Amino acid sequence: RVRGGNPADFRGTRREPEASVHMNLPAVNVRHVGVSRSVIAAQWKGDSLAVDTVRVRVFNGVLVGSTHLALGEKMQGTGAIAIRGLSLASVYSTLRDTMSPYVGEINGDVAAVISGKDPMDWNITSGFTVSRFAHLSDSLADIHLAAGLTKGQGQLSLTQDKINLQARVSMLPGNRLSGNYSLDVPDVAAVGALVLQGEKVQGTLGLNGTIGGTLRSPTVNAALRGDK
């Protein structure tokens, strides 16, 4: 029987080891991303792993995750991630390496039911909102995004005011893709600030198409319609 002090504690035997960890991690920079006040609490017993808490402060917000897994021949379990108060400007500036013209607050949740080692067999649901959204000094409607994956079938829904994007895609044998999507923009002026950096435009826009090809080489076909 082996025991260790904080932050890790090891118990059990060689055949049936047990371990628990509780750590408060110092602030670090990972590829120019500042990560502060991180906390990890996890337990491992036999073929079971429980990550009770992973809390990370990043982009002026916080990420909180947990997972419980049975690590047998066929992995089973659940997982969840909560995103609270992330700064859209901080995310944009980090990804684009330039000052962000956008501001907003990102909140969301991701949940997974894990069945097997292939993520395509998992059931994943997610929902995100960008609130207090603005471009420069222009306030814009909140953005709502929902995405999911159920046994190789993916769905995506993105809405902002009257703008509506819907997409579905299925994974077929041989890593082939089959799906479709639609985009409806009843007032193009509403997206001028986003797509055209504030340039004034007017009219309506619609887009329908199909998704094919493979994961490595997807193909997208589109049919465009619009009015001035």
Side-chain angles (χ1 to χ4, degrees):
R1 186 179 290 264
V2 181
R3 292 183 180 273
N6 290 327
D9 189 11
F10 299 94
R11 299 185 180 89
T13 65
R14 290 183 179 180
R15 290 185 177 182
E16 297 182 356
E18 300 177 23
S20 61
V21 176
H22 190 287
M23 293 188 293
N24 295 290
L25 303 179
V28 296
N29 280 302
V30 181
R31 295 186 177 182
H32 307 293
V33 178
V35 179
S36 63
R37 291 173 23 181
S38 301
V39 178
I40 298 176
Q43 302 176 49
W44 172 44
K45 181 177 181 180
D47 62 354
S48 297
L49 174 65
V51 181
D52 297 313
T53 304
V54 176
R55 182 185 297 269
V56 179
R57 295 198 63 86
V58 64
F59 297 127
N60 298 322
V62 62
L63 305 179
V64 181
S66 64
T67 185
H68 295 82
L69 295 173
L71 304 173
E73 185 174 332
K74 185 178 181 181
M75 188 168 63
Q76 303 278 349
T78 60
I81 299 174
I83 299 171
R84 298 291 181 266
L86 267 64
S87 164
L88 175 62
S90 296
V91 175
Y92 184 101
S93 298
T94 300
L95 295 178
R96 300 293 296 272
D97 195 25
T98 185
M99 183 174 291
S100 173
Y102 305 104
V103 296
E105 182 179 288
I106 304 172
N107 293 280
D109 294 277
V110 181
V113 177
I114 300 167
S115 178
K117 298 180 180 180
D118 186 351
M120 287 298 171
D121 293 330
W122 299 359
N123 186 347
I124 303 173
T125 58
S126 65
F128 303 91
T129 299
V130 180
S131 57
R132 304 175 189 172
F133 186 38
H135 174 265
L136 299 178
S137 59
D138 296 326
S139 296
L140 301 169
D142 293 354
I143 296 175
H144 301 279
L145 172 67
L149 177 67
T150 303
K151 295 192 178 298
Q153 296 190 9
Q155 306 88 33
L156 172 70
S157 174
L158 187 151
T159 59
Q160 184 197 27
D161 196 10
K162 297 180 181 180
I163 301 169
N164 188 354
L165 171 65
Q166 302 291 324
R168 290 179 176 272
V169 63
S170 298
M171 175 70 71
L172 303 176
N175 288 332
R176 292 181 295 116
L177 301 175
S178 177
N180 57 75
Y181 66 92
S182 66
L183 170 66
D184 291 301
V185 185
D187 184 4
V188 177
V191 297
L194 297 178
V195 180
L196 301 174
Q197 296 298 305
E199 187 172 330
K200 293 183 178 180
V201 291
Q202 60 182 1
T204 64
L205 176 67
L207 195 64
N208 294 85
T210 59
I211 303 169
T214 64
L215 275 177
R216 289 189 175 183
S217 182
T219 60
V220 178
N221 296 312
L224 178 66
R225 66 183 188 279
D227 295 306
K228 292 184 178 181

mmCIF file of all heavy atoms in Angstrom, residues 23-40 54-64 86 90 94:
data_model
loop_
_atom_site.group_PDB
_atom_site.id
_atom_site.type_symbol
_atom_site.label_atom_id
_atom_site.label_comp_id
_atom_site.label_asym_id
_atom_site.label_seq_id
_atom_site.Cartn_x
_atom_site.Cartn_y
_atom_site.Cartn_z
ATOM 1 N N MET A 23 -5.340 19.921 -7.177
ATOM 2 C CA MET A 23 -4.246 20.854 -7.404
ATOM 3 C C MET A 23 -4.778 22.235 -7.754
ATOM 4 O O MET A 23 -5.754 22.372 -8.497
ATOM 5 C CB MET A 23 -3.352 20.361 -8.547
ATOM 6 C CG MET A 23 -2.575 19.087 -8.238
ATOM 7 S SD MET A 23 -1.364 18.688 -9.535
ATOM 8 C CE MET A 23 -2.470 18.312 -10.903
ATOM 9 N N ASN A 24 -4.125 23.237 -7.208
ATOM 10 C CA ASN A 24 -4.327 24.624 -7.607
ATOM 11 C C ASN A 24 -3.099 25.039 -8.415
ATOM 12 O O ASN A 24 -1.981 25.077 -7.888
ATOM 13 C CB ASN A 24 -4.478 25.526 -6.379
ATOM 14 C CG ASN A 24 -5.732 25.204 -5.592
ATOM 15 O OD1 ASN A 24 -6.838 25.459 -6.034
ATOM 16 N ND2 ASN A 24 -5.548 24.636 -4.404
ATOM 17 N N LEU A 25 -3.299 25.315 -9.688
ATOM 18 C CA LEU A 25 -2.177 25.565 -10.580
ATOM 19 C C LEU A 25 -1.881 27.056 -10.686
ATOM 20 O O LEU A 25 -2.795 27.895 -10.639
ATOM 21 C CB LEU A 25 -2.479 25.005 -11.972
ATOM 22 C CG LEU A 25 -2.808 23.512 -12.012
ATOM 23 C CD1 LEU A 25 -3.102 23.082 -13.446
ATOM 24 C CD2 LEU A 25 -1.665 22.687 -11.446
ATOM 25 N N PRO A 26 -0.609 27.419 -10.852
ATOM 26 C CA PRO A 26 -0.253 28.833 -10.979
ATOM 27 C C PRO A 26 -0.656 29.390 -12.344
ATOM 28 O O PRO A 26 -0.980 28.644 -13.273
ATOM 29 C CB PRO A 26 1.278 28.808 -10.828
ATOM 30 C CG PRO A 26 1.677 27.459 -11.336
ATOM 31 C CD PRO A 26 0.561 26.530 -10.920
ATOM 32 N N ALA A 27 -0.636 30.702 -12.448
ATOM 33 C CA ALA A 27 -0.943 31.360 -13.717
ATOM 34 C C ALA A 27 0.150 31.047 -14.730
ATOM 35 O O ALA A 27 1.343 31.046 -14.409
ATOM 36 C CB ALA A 27 -1.058 32.868 -13.509
ATOM 37 N N VAL A 28 -0.268 30.749 -15.964
ATOM 38 C CA VAL A 28 0.674 30.448 -17.039
ATOM 39 C C VAL A 28 0.186 31.100 -18.330
ATOM 40 O O VAL A 28 -0.966 31.516 -18.449
ATOM 41 C CB VAL A 28 0.820 28.918 -17.260
ATOM 42 C CG1 VAL A 28 1.408 28.245 -16.041
ATOM 43 C CG2 VAL A 28 -0.522 28.293 -17.634
ATOM 44 N N ASN A 29 1.092 31.178 -19.312
ATOM 45 C CA ASN A 29 0.740 31.617 -20.654
ATOM 46 C C ASN A 29 0.950 30.456 -21.604
ATOM 47 O O ASN A 29 2.049 29.891 -21.671
ATOM 48 C CB ASN A 29 1.614 32.797 -21.088
ATOM 49 C CG ASN A 29 1.129 34.112 -20.503
ATOM 50 O OD1 ASN A 29 -0.005 34.504 -20.723
ATOM 51 N ND2 ASN A 29 1.986 34.786 -19.749
ATOM 52 N N VAL A 30 -0.101 30.063 -22.315
ATOM 53 C CA VAL A 30 -0.038 28.970 -23.275
ATOM 54 C C VAL A 30 -0.290 29.557 -24.658
ATOM 55 O O VAL A 30 -1.414 29.939 -24.992
ATOM 56 C CB VAL A 30 -1.083 27.878 -22.954
ATOM 57 C CG1 VAL A 30 -0.985 26.739 -23.960
ATOM 58 C CG2 VAL A 30 -0.891 27.365 -21.537
ATOM 59 N N ARG A 31 0.766 29.654 -25.444
ATOM 60 C CA ARG A 31 0.663 30.249 -26.788
ATOM 61 C C ARG A 31 -0.021 31.608 -26.746
ATOM 62 O O ARG A 31 -0.977 31.879 -27.464
ATOM 63 C CB ARG A 31 -0.068 29.299 -27.744
ATOM 64 C CG ARG A 31 0.692 28.003 -28.004
ATOM 65 C CD ARG A 31 -0.003 27.159 -29.056
ATOM 66 N NE ARG A 31 0.775 25.952 -29.337
ATOM 67 C CZ ARG A 31 0.431 25.038 -30.245
ATOM 68 N NH1 ARG A 31 -0.673 25.208 -30.963
ATOM 69 N NH2 ARG A 31 1.179 23.976 -30.448
ATOM 70 N N HIS A 32 0.471 32.463 -25.854
ATOM 71 C CA HIS A 32 0.003 33.836 -25.701
ATOM 72 C C HIS A 32 -1.392 33.928 -25.077
ATOM 73 O O HIS A 32 -1.999 35.002 -25.080
ATOM 74 C CB HIS A 32 0.013 34.581 -27.042
ATOM 75 C CG HIS A 32 1.325 34.529 -27.754
ATOM 76 N ND1 HIS A 32 2.458 35.148 -27.262
ATOM 77 C CD2 HIS A 32 1.695 33.918 -28.906
ATOM 78 C CE1 HIS A 32 3.461 34.939 -28.091
ATOM 79 N NE2 HIS A 32 3.023 34.187 -29.090
ATOM 80 N N VAL A 33 -1.921 32.817 -24.583
ATOM 81 C CA VAL A 33 -3.203 32.827 -23.894
ATOM 82 C C VAL A 33 -2.941 32.760 -22.391
ATOM 83 O O VAL A 33 -2.356 31.803 -21.895
ATOM 84 C CB VAL A 33 -4.095 31.651 -24.326
ATOM 85 C CG1 VAL A 33 -5.402 31.667 -23.554
ATOM 86 C CG2 VAL A 33 -4.365 31.715 -25.827
ATOM 87 N N GLY A 34 -3.374 33.783 -21.672
ATOM 88 C CA GLY A 34 -3.169 33.795 -20.232
ATOM 89 C C GLY A 34 -4.166 32.912 -19.513
ATOM 90 O O GLY A 34 -5.377 33.069 -19.683
ATOM 91 N N VAL A 35 -3.668 31.971 -18.712
ATOM 92 C CA VAL A 35 -4.506 31.055 -17.937
ATOM 93 C C VAL A 35 -4.195 31.275 -16.463
ATOM 94 O O VAL A 35 -3.040 31.181 -16.051
ATOM 95 C CB VAL A 35 -4.246 29.583 -18.327
ATOM 96 C CG1 VAL A 35 -5.106 28.658 -17.490
ATOM 97 C CG2 VAL A 35 -4.500 29.373 -19.808
ATOM 98 N N SER A 36 -5.211 31.567 -15.651
ATOM 99 C CA SER A 36 -4.961 31.868 -14.249
ATOM 100 C C SER A 36 -5.904 31.094 -13.347
ATOM 101 O O SER A 36 -6.989 30.692 -13.755
ATOM 102 C CB SER A 36 -5.124 33.380 -13.997
ATOM 103 O OG SER A 36 -6.448 33.793 -14.249
ATOM 104 N N ARG A 37 -5.460 30.888 -12.112
ATOM 105 C CA ARG A 37 -6.280 30.292 -11.043
ATOM 106 C C ARG A 37 -6.990 29.014 -11.502
ATOM 107 O O ARG A 37 -8.203 28.887 -11.421
ATOM 108 C CB ARG A 37 -7.284 31.324 -10.532
ATOM 109 C CG ARG A 37 -6.605 32.426 -9.776
ATOM 110 C CD ARG A 37 -7.465 33.581 -9.367
ATOM 111 N NE ARG A 37 -8.878 33.351 -9.261
ATOM 112 C CZ ARG A 37 -9.734 34.306 -8.917
ATOM 113 N NH1 ARG A 37 -9.290 35.508 -8.634
ATOM 114 N NH2 ARG A 37 -11.014 34.066 -8.854
ATOM 115 N N SER A 38 -6.218 28.050 -11.960
ATOM 116 C CA SER A 38 -6.783 26.774 -12.406
ATOM 117 C C SER A 38 -6.859 25.795 -11.237
ATOM 118 O O SER A 38 -5.995 25.769 -10.365
ATOM 119 C CB SER A 38 -5.916 26.169 -13.512
ATOM 120 O OG SER A 38 -5.822 27.051 -14.607
ATOM 121 N N VAL A 39 -7.903 24.972 -11.238
ATOM 122 C CA VAL A 39 -8.107 23.965 -10.198
ATOM 123 C C VAL A 39 -8.449 22.638 -10.863
ATOM 124 O O VAL A 39 -9.259 22.590 -11.791
ATOM 125 C CB VAL A 39 -9.246 24.360 -9.236
ATOM 126 C CG1 VAL A 39 -9.474 23.276 -8.193
ATOM 127 C CG2 VAL A 39 -8.938 25.686 -8.562
ATOM 128 N N ILE A 40 -7.814 21.555 -10.395
ATOM 129 C CA ILE A 40 -8.105 20.208 -10.891
ATOM 130 C C ILE A 40 -8.360 19.298 -9.699
ATOM 131 O O ILE A 40 -7.557 19.244 -8.766
ATOM 132 C CB ILE A 40 -6.944 19.644 -11.731
ATOM 133 C CG1 ILE A 40 -6.706 20.512 -12.973
ATOM 134 C CG2 ILE A 40 -7.247 18.205 -12.151
ATOM 135 C CD1 ILE A 40 -5.517 20.063 -13.791
ATOM 136 N N VAL A 54 -12.532 20.582 -13.246
ATOM 137 C CA VAL A 54 -11.419 21.265 -13.895
ATOM 138 C C VAL A 54 -11.897 22.697 -14.115
ATOM 139 O O VAL A 54 -12.804 22.945 -14.905
ATOM 140 C CB VAL A 54 -11.032 20.626 -15.244
ATOM 141 C CG1 VAL A 54 -9.932 21.442 -15.912
ATOM 142 C CG2 VAL A 54 -10.571 19.194 -15.045
ATOM 143 N N ARG A 55 -11.314 23.618 -13.382
ATOM 144 C CA ARG A 55 -11.742 25.023 -13.459
ATOM 145 C C ARG A 55 -10.566 25.866 -13.946
ATOM 146 O O ARG A 55 -9.487 25.842 -13.362
ATOM 147 C CB ARG A 55 -12.220 25.515 -12.104
ATOM 148 C CG ARG A 55 -12.738 26.961 -12.111
ATOM 149 C CD ARG A 55 -13.074 27.407 -10.688
ATOM 150 N NE ARG A 55 -14.151 26.599 -10.143
ATOM 151 C CZ ARG A 55 -15.436 26.900 -10.247
ATOM 152 N NH1 ARG A 55 -15.808 27.998 -10.899
ATOM 153 N NH2 ARG A 55 -16.357 26.124 -9.716
ATOM 154 N N VAL A 56 -10.786 26.596 -15.044
ATOM 155 C CA VAL A 56 -9.730 27.396 -15.644
ATOM 156 C C VAL A 56 -10.257 28.801 -15.907
ATOM 157 O O VAL A 56 -11.302 28.967 -16.546
ATOM 158 C CB VAL A 56 -9.249 26.780 -16.978
ATOM 159 C CG1 VAL A 56 -8.158 27.638 -17.599
ATOM 160 C CG2 VAL A 56 -8.741 25.358 -16.760
ATOM 161 N N ARG A 57 -9.530 29.809 -15.450
ATOM 162 C CA ARG A 57 -9.869 31.195 -15.756
ATOM 163 C C ARG A 57 -9.065 31.629 -16.983
ATOM 164 O O ARG A 57 -7.841 31.590 -16.969
ATOM 165 C CB ARG A 57 -9.577 32.114 -14.578
ATOM 166 C CG ARG A 57 -10.449 31.833 -13.358
ATOM 167 C CD ARG A 57 -10.447 33.003 -12.388
ATOM 168 N NE ARG A 57 -11.024 34.194 -12.982
ATOM 169 C CZ ARG A 57 -12.329 34.467 -12.999
ATOM 170 N NH1 ARG A 57 -13.198 33.616 -12.446
ATOM 171 N NH2 ARG A 57 -12.772 35.565 -13.555
ATOM 172 N N VAL A 58 -9.775 32.040 -18.039
ATOM 173 C CA VAL A 58 -9.136 32.399 -19.299
ATOM 174 C C VAL A 58 -10.041 33.362 -20.049
ATOM 175 O O VAL A 58 -11.270 33.318 -19.908
ATOM 176 C CB VAL A 58 -8.851 31.116 -20.128
ATOM 177 C CG1 VAL A 58 -10.144 30.432 -20.520
ATOM 178 C CG2 VAL A 58 -8.000 31.403 -21.346
ATOM 179 N N PHE A 59 -9.465 34.241 -20.850
ATOM 180 C CA PHE A 59 -10.225 35.227 -21.633
ATOM 181 C C PHE A 59 -11.212 36.008 -20.763
ATOM 182 O O PHE A 59 -12.341 36.292 -21.174
ATOM 183 C CB PHE A 59 -10.970 34.546 -22.784
ATOM 184 C CG PHE A 59 -10.060 33.893 -23.803
ATOM 185 C CD1 PHE A 59 -10.233 32.565 -24.147
ATOM 186 C CD2 PHE A 59 -9.035 34.614 -24.396
ATOM 187 C CE1 PHE A 59 -9.403 31.960 -25.087
ATOM 188 C CE2 PHE A 59 -8.190 34.016 -25.334
ATOM 189 C CZ PHE A 59 -8.379 32.691 -25.681
ATOM 190 N N ASN A 60 -10.785 36.354 -19.559
ATOM 191 C CA ASN A 60 -11.593 37.121 -18.609
ATOM 192 C C ASN A 60 -12.862 36.385 -18.163
ATOM 193 O O ASN A 60 -13.785 37.008 -17.617
ATOM 194 C CB ASN A 60 -11.985 38.482 -19.199
ATOM 195 C CG ASN A 60 -10.775 39.341 -19.511
ATOM 196 O OD1 ASN A 60 -9.797 39.343 -18.780
ATOM 197 N ND2 ASN A 60 -10.832 40.056 -20.633
ATOM 198 N N GLY A 61 -12.929 35.103 -18.422
ATOM 199 C CA GLY A 61 -14.066 34.293 -18.001
ATOM 200 C C GLY A 61 -13.580 33.017 -17.348
ATOM 201 O O GLY A 61 -12.433 32.922 -16.886
ATOM 202 N N VAL A 62 -14.440 32.017 -17.300
ATOM 203 C CA VAL A 62 -14.080 30.762 -16.644
ATOM 204 C C VAL A 62 -14.638 29.585 -17.424
ATOM 205 O O VAL A 62 -15.738 29.650 -17.982
ATOM 206 C CB VAL A 62 -14.593 30.747 -15.179
ATOM 207 C CG1 VAL A 62 -16.107 30.830 -15.137
ATOM 208 C CG2 VAL A 62 -14.105 29.515 -14.442
ATOM 209 N N LEU A 63 -13.855 28.504 -17.492
ATOM 210 C CA LEU A 63 -14.278 27.225 -18.037
ATOM 211 C C LEU A 63 -14.307 26.224 -16.895
ATOM 212 O O LEU A 63 -13.347 26.115 -16.128
ATOM 213 C CB LEU A 63 -13.311 26.723 -19.113
ATOM 214 C CG LEU A 63 -13.008 27.641 -20.298
ATOM 215 C CD1 LEU A 63 -12.003 26.973 -21.234
ATOM 216 C CD2 LEU A 63 -14.275 27.978 -21.053
ATOM 217 N N VAL A 64 -15.420 25.471 -16.790
ATOM 218 C CA VAL A 64 -15.545 24.450 -15.751
ATOM 219 C C VAL A 64 -15.929 23.136 -16.418
ATOM 220 O O VAL A 64 -16.932 23.080 -17.146
ATOM 221 C CB VAL A 64 -16.598 24.829 -14.687
ATOM 222 C CG1 VAL A 64 -16.677 23.746 -13.619
ATOM 223 C CG2 VAL A 64 -16.260 26.175 -14.064
ATOM 224 N N LEU A 86 -16.794 34.574 -21.041
ATOM 225 C CA LEU A 86 -15.608 34.798 -21.846
ATOM 226 C C LEU A 86 -15.750 36.087 -22.658
ATOM 227 O O LEU A 86 -16.827 36.397 -23.178
ATOM 228 C CB LEU A 86 -15.373 33.628 -22.815
ATOM 229 C CG LEU A 86 -14.448 32.514 -22.319
ATOM 230 C CD1 LEU A 86 -15.045 31.817 -21.114
ATOM 231 C CD2 LEU A 86 -14.171 31.513 -23.432
ATOM 232 N N SER A 90 -11.305 39.476 -26.298
ATOM 233 C CA SER A 90 -10.059 38.797 -25.932
ATOM 234 C C SER A 90 -9.809 37.581 -26.813
ATOM 235 O O SER A 90 -8.680 37.341 -27.251
ATOM 236 C CB SER A 90 -10.095 38.371 -24.464
ATOM 237 O OG SER A 90 -10.160 39.488 -23.608
ATOM 238 N N THR A 94 -6.688 37.347 -29.570
ATOM 239 C CA THR A 94 -5.706 36.270 -29.453
ATOM 240 C C THR A 94 -5.617 35.474 -30.749
ATOM 241 O O THR A 94 -4.521 35.153 -31.224
ATOM 242 C CB THR A 94 -6.075 35.338 -28.289
ATOM 243 O OG1 THR A 94 -6.091 36.084 -27.077
ATOM 244 C CG2 THR A 94 -5.069 34.202 -28.168
#
